[in-house]
Amino acid sequence: MNHMISAPWEASLTQSEHSLIFYFLGLTGSALAFGFVRTWISRGEVGVRYRTAVIARVGIMLVAVLSYILLITAFSIGYDKVGALWVPNSHAIMTMAPRYVEWSIAVPLLTIELLSVSALIGRRARRTEAAAVTGAFLMIFTGFLGAVVIGDGRSLESLLLWGAVSTVFWIITTAIVIRAIRQSLPQLTPEAAVLLRNATILLLSGWALYPVAYLIPVLFSGGAATTTMYILLCATDLVVKLGFSGLIHRVAKLRTAEDVRVGVDIHQEAIWISSIKQSDAGIPTVVYLPEVETIHQRRPKPADSNATATASAPSEEWAKDLTSTDL
């Protein structure tokens, strides 16, 4: 027997509930837009080694902003004022469906952002990242099947079955992430290790809140339940996408500063965090010439038979010009 429940987008809303949902949608969308602008402006603060984290963060913010534009638009046209209530129409389902589209991109990118500042390198890093991305995507997609697609979000059996499948992928992805971060922490500076650990806890805690919102239609129905669900999803998006990404950005800056200090990388500007200088601008490696040379001689291509003759003469004349100028 298939037990039917009420989908969240089918509930009528009071004026207060409608206003609260619209407020949190607008607040979250505006905050994410600010996060996108800040990420774009500050992308040069991180060294090339950790630039993947910045690229992932830009992608997360971009798709989140686009998603909230769709959500606000759908919410504005998805309800009709009938007496004292806002009654949903055929467009109301779009107040939920775009979230899963955005999560299908953003959640895998969150795992990339986290692992990009870990200590994993080479093939091991690529395999871990591929496994985490796959698990994260399947976690969202199977949840989407149960919450929206199969049974149109009204089938209790579908919600519980696909929710359980999604939970399995959630556990797998969480285990992959925890293992990678635990292996990385001993190789980081104490400050970077603390920030990376806190970022991981924040991300995984946020992931734990999404199933709570997923189960609200199973336990409750009506406008109050729908309002609670939408507010919880907005608040979780803010915490995960802004709070987590902010911590990861600081980890990337600390690791960049450490690379500059030990001389394994350069950076075009000094690195500051909370008005504390972490490193000076990195200076490119000095190239030392033989004592009798003033410039590098051009290296001819092996296939060019006349390259040696044509390259040496101009170089010698240039060297003489430089020497005479200095004198």
Side-chain angles (χ1 to χ4, degrees), residues 10 44 48 54 64 110 114 130 200 205 212 215 225-226 230 264 289 309:
E10 296 179 331
V48 176
V54 178
L110 285 168
L114 177 63
T200 305
S205 299
V212 174
L215 290 174
T226 298
Y230 285 8
V264 299
L289 301 175

Short mmCIF file of all heavy atoms in Angstrom, two decimals, residues 10 44 48 54 64 110 114 130 200 205 212 215 225-226 230 264 289 309:
data_model
loop_
_atom_site.label_atom_id
_atom_site.label_comp_id
_atom_site.label_asym_id
_atom_site.label_seq_id
_atom_site.Cartn_x
_atom_site.Cartn_y
_atom_site.Cartn_z
N GLU A 10 2.64 22.12 -1.74
CA GLU A 10 1.19 22.06 -1.88
C GLU A 10 0.45 22.73 -0.73
O GLU A 10 -0.78 22.84 -0.76
CB GLU A 10 0.72 20.61 -2.00
CG GLU A 10 1.23 19.91 -3.26
CD GLU A 10 0.78 18.46 -3.34
OE1 GLU A 10 0.59 17.83 -2.27
OE2 GLU A 10 0.63 17.96 -4.46
N GLY A 44 42.97 36.22 -5.95
CA GLY A 44 44.42 36.31 -6.06
C GLY A 44 45.16 36.21 -4.75
O GLY A 44 46.39 36.18 -4.73
N VAL A 48 48.92 29.53 -6.44
CA VAL A 48 48.48 28.66 -7.54
C VAL A 48 48.24 27.23 -7.06
O VAL A 48 47.34 26.54 -7.54
CB VAL A 48 49.53 28.67 -8.66
CG1 VAL A 48 49.16 27.70 -9.77
CG2 VAL A 48 49.69 30.07 -9.23
N VAL A 54 39.72 27.88 -4.89
CA VAL A 54 39.09 29.15 -5.26
C VAL A 54 38.13 28.94 -6.44
O VAL A 54 37.01 29.48 -6.46
CB VAL A 54 40.16 30.20 -5.61
CG1 VAL A 54 39.51 31.50 -6.05
CG2 VAL A 54 41.07 30.43 -4.42
N ALA A 64 24.75 28.88 -6.74
CA ALA A 64 23.84 29.18 -5.63
C ALA A 64 23.06 30.46 -5.90
O ALA A 64 21.85 30.52 -5.65
CB ALA A 64 24.62 29.29 -4.33
N LEU A 110 31.93 21.36 -3.11
CA LEU A 110 32.35 21.55 -1.71
C LEU A 110 33.41 20.52 -1.31
O LEU A 110 34.36 20.85 -0.59
CB LEU A 110 31.14 21.45 -0.78
CG LEU A 110 30.19 22.64 -0.77
CD1 LEU A 110 28.90 22.30 -0.05
CD2 LEU A 110 30.84 23.87 -0.11
N LEU A 114 37.31 21.41 -0.24
CA LEU A 114 37.94 20.92 1.00
C LEU A 114 39.21 20.14 0.71
O LEU A 114 40.27 20.39 1.32
CB LEU A 114 36.94 20.05 1.76
CG LEU A 114 37.44 19.39 3.05
CD1 LEU A 114 37.81 20.45 4.08
CD2 LEU A 114 36.40 18.43 3.61
N ALA A 130 37.83 12.02 -6.79
CA ALA A 130 36.84 11.40 -7.67
C ALA A 130 35.81 10.61 -6.87
O ALA A 130 34.60 10.66 -7.17
CB ALA A 130 37.54 10.49 -8.68
N THR A 200 35.91 21.21 8.29
CA THR A 200 35.36 19.89 8.03
C THR A 200 34.16 19.61 8.93
O THR A 200 33.12 19.10 8.48
CB THR A 200 36.43 18.81 8.25
OG1 THR A 200 37.58 19.11 7.45
CG2 THR A 200 35.90 17.44 7.87
N SER A 205 28.48 18.96 9.59
CA SER A 205 27.32 19.31 10.41
C SER A 205 26.21 19.89 9.54
O SER A 205 25.03 19.60 9.75
CB SER A 205 27.73 20.33 11.49
OG SER A 205 28.70 19.79 12.35
N VAL A 212 17.37 16.42 7.99
CA VAL A 212 16.31 16.87 8.90
C VAL A 212 15.22 17.59 8.12
O VAL A 212 14.02 17.33 8.30
CB VAL A 212 16.90 17.78 9.99
CG1 VAL A 212 15.79 18.36 10.86
CG2 VAL A 212 17.89 17.02 10.85
N LEU A 215 13.09 15.18 6.08
CA LEU A 215 12.12 14.37 6.80
C LEU A 215 10.93 15.17 7.33
O LEU A 215 9.96 14.57 7.81
CB LEU A 215 12.81 13.66 7.97
CG LEU A 215 13.79 12.54 7.60
CD1 LEU A 215 14.50 12.02 8.83
CD2 LEU A 215 13.07 11.41 6.87
N ALA A 225 4.91 23.78 8.70
CA ALA A 225 5.97 22.82 8.39
C ALA A 225 6.74 23.27 7.15
O ALA A 225 7.99 23.18 7.10
CB ALA A 225 5.38 21.44 8.16
N THR A 226 6.03 23.74 6.11
CA THR A 226 6.69 24.22 4.91
C THR A 226 7.58 25.42 5.22
O THR A 226 8.72 25.51 4.74
CB THR A 226 5.65 24.62 3.85
OG1 THR A 226 4.90 23.46 3.49
CG2 THR A 226 6.32 25.18 2.61
N TYR A 230 11.71 25.53 4.68
CA TYR A 230 12.38 26.49 3.81
C TYR A 230 13.37 27.36 4.58
O TYR A 230 14.46 27.65 4.08
CB TYR A 230 11.34 27.36 3.10
CG TYR A 230 10.61 26.66 1.98
CD1 TYR A 230 10.77 25.29 1.75
CD2 TYR A 230 9.75 27.36 1.14
CE1 TYR A 230 10.10 24.65 0.73
CE2 TYR A 230 9.08 26.73 0.10
CZ TYR A 230 9.25 25.37 -0.10
OH TYR A 230 8.60 24.72 -1.12
N VAL A 264 59.24 27.19 -1.21
CA VAL A 264 58.82 26.24 -2.24
C VAL A 264 57.88 26.88 -3.25
O VAL A 264 57.52 26.25 -4.25
CB VAL A 264 58.15 25.00 -1.62
CG1 VAL A 264 59.12 24.27 -0.70
CG2 VAL A 264 56.87 25.39 -0.88
N LEU A 289 74.25 33.74 -13.27
CA LEU A 289 74.95 33.58 -14.54
C LEU A 289 76.43 33.31 -14.29
O LEU A 289 76.97 33.67 -13.24
CB LEU A 289 74.82 34.85 -15.37
CG LEU A 289 73.38 35.29 -15.72
CD1 LEU A 289 73.44 36.62 -16.45
CD2 LEU A 289 72.70 34.25 -16.56
N ALA A 309 74.65 30.31 -35.52
CA ALA A 309 75.32 31.50 -36.05
C ALA A 309 74.46 32.73 -35.91
O ALA A 309 74.93 33.80 -35.55
CB ALA A 309 75.69 31.28 -37.52
#
